[in-house]
Amino acid sequence: GDSVTQMEGPVTLSEEAFLTINCTYTATGYPSLFWYVQYPGEGLQLLLKATKADDKGSNKGFEATYRKETTSFHLEKGSVQVSDSAVYFCALSGSARQLTFGSGTQLTVLP
Amino acid sequence: DADVTQTPRNRITKTGKRIMLECSQTKGHDRMYWYRQDPGLGLQLIYYSFDVKDINKGEISDGYSVSRQAQAKFSLSLESAIPNQTALYFCATSDSKREARTGELFFGEGSRLTVL
């Protein structure tokens, strides 16, 4: 079945540092890939998405590129802010047409 | 007001009690979902409903039941709560017309359930 593996946290960075959160997936066919973010005390919200190979999703300074050859969708941001502190979830929508989530990565950004 | 509202937001109960978590939405979406979140496990799908008459089990439905009372309302019940059902529960909605293109779910703020 479909599965998503993302790097374990927690991740702690200083403000303005570079962020990478790794995400790899297993799926049949051509899934769509997503990053969701969960700010403290809130539900998840869509951060960015990519629907086909080599697509780059971007939003709020975050980027991720759909790499079919490496089955990866790593999340990056060049300069993180304290307000980026949250839990980040990688997810895919595959043949089952349901979202499959990774386990989440807690990010803390220190001033 | 939130587009997806969950009640209660927090609940502490005892083993064996019946619990109902309610979800209502004002987004006009046809699809609704219940997820469970445990630390380190991400989100697991409990049940989902594509419309009022279409309800499906997710990956962890044992011990849970649901009711889609109307397009805007989707309730999750624990008939006899047990301690390992202690978790954060999320309701989510989507628009089937848009989901094929965007895959976007809209989440409520969560209901924290503790079973003693």
Side-chain angles (χ1 to χ4, degrees):
Chain A
D2 297 344
S3 67
V4 175
T5 302
Q6 60 181 104
M7 67 184 285
E8 293 186 14
V11 174
T12 302
L13 296 173
S14 297
E15 209 164 23
E16 300 183 3
F18 184 85
L19 169 71
T20 300
I21 300 178
N22 290 337
C23 171
T24 57
Y25 67 90
T26 302
T28 55
Y30 303 93
S32 295
L33 301 175
F34 308 88
W35 278 99
Y36 277 79
V37 58
Q38 182 181 25
Y39 297 104
E42 299 183 11
L44 282 72
Q45 55 187 274
L46 181 66
L47 179 61
L48 55 83
K49 64 177 174 64
T51 57
K52 61 183 187 297
D54 299 327
D55 266 4
K56 178 185 284 188
S58 61
N59 187 24
K60 299 182 180 181
F62 290 89
E63 294 183 338
T65 301
Y66 188 145
R67 301 287 189 197
K68 189 165 178 61
E69 64 276 12
T70 55
T71 62
S72 66
F73 193 55
H74 304 322
L75 182 68
E76 296 181 337
K77 186 174 186 181
S79 177
V80 293
Q81 305 301 311
V82 172
S83 57
D84 294 327
S85 297
V87 182
Y88 292 82
F89 291 90
C90 186
L92 71 81
S93 176
S95 56
R97 310 296 294 275
Q98 300 300 319
L99 277 182
T100 299
F101 287 89
S103 57
T105 302
Q106 171 78 53
L107 170 66
T108 300
V109 180
L110 302 176
Chain B
D1 288 342
D3 293 326
V4 183
T5 303
Q6 293 183 228
T7 56
R9 294 291 313 279
N10 287 284
R11 181 72 183 268
I12 299 173
T13 190
K14 295 182 179 180
T15 298
K17 294 291 187 181
R18 184 178 187 274
I19 293 297
M20 178 180 286
L21 305 179
E22 298 184 328
C23 177
S24 63
Q25 51 116 345
T26 58
K27 298 188 75 65
H29 288 170
D30 51 343
R31 296 181 173 184
M32 298 187 75
Y33 306 79
W34 275 105
Y35 284 90
R36 168 178 170 156
Q37 184 180 25
D38 295 278
L41 292 179
L43 273 74
Q44 297 173 281
L45 183 61
I46 307 173
Y47 270 95
Y48 61 101
S49 172
F50 282 173
D51 66 40
V52 174
K53 296 182 179 180
D54 183 5
I55 294 177
N56 305 277
K57 293 181 177 181
E59 55 190 307
I60 57 161
S61 59
D62 287 349
Y64 302 94
S65 62
V66 291
S67 173
R68 185 86 183 263
Q69 301 95 323
Q71 186 180 38
K73 296 183 182 297
F74 192 38
S75 300
L76 176 71
S77 294
L78 288 69
E79 296 301 326
S80 180
I82 56 177
N84 76 1
Q85 291 178 313
T86 293
L88 185 58
Y89 291 85
F90 285 103
C91 176
T93 72
S94 69
D95 178 346
S96 60
K97 300 181 193 64
R98 283 175 47 85
E99 188 178 345
R101 289 185 290 111
T102 70
E104 184 171 7
L105 300 186
F106 294 83
F107 285 80
E109 294 179 329
S111 296
R112 185 169 296 282
L113 176 66
T114 302
V115 183
L116 302 177

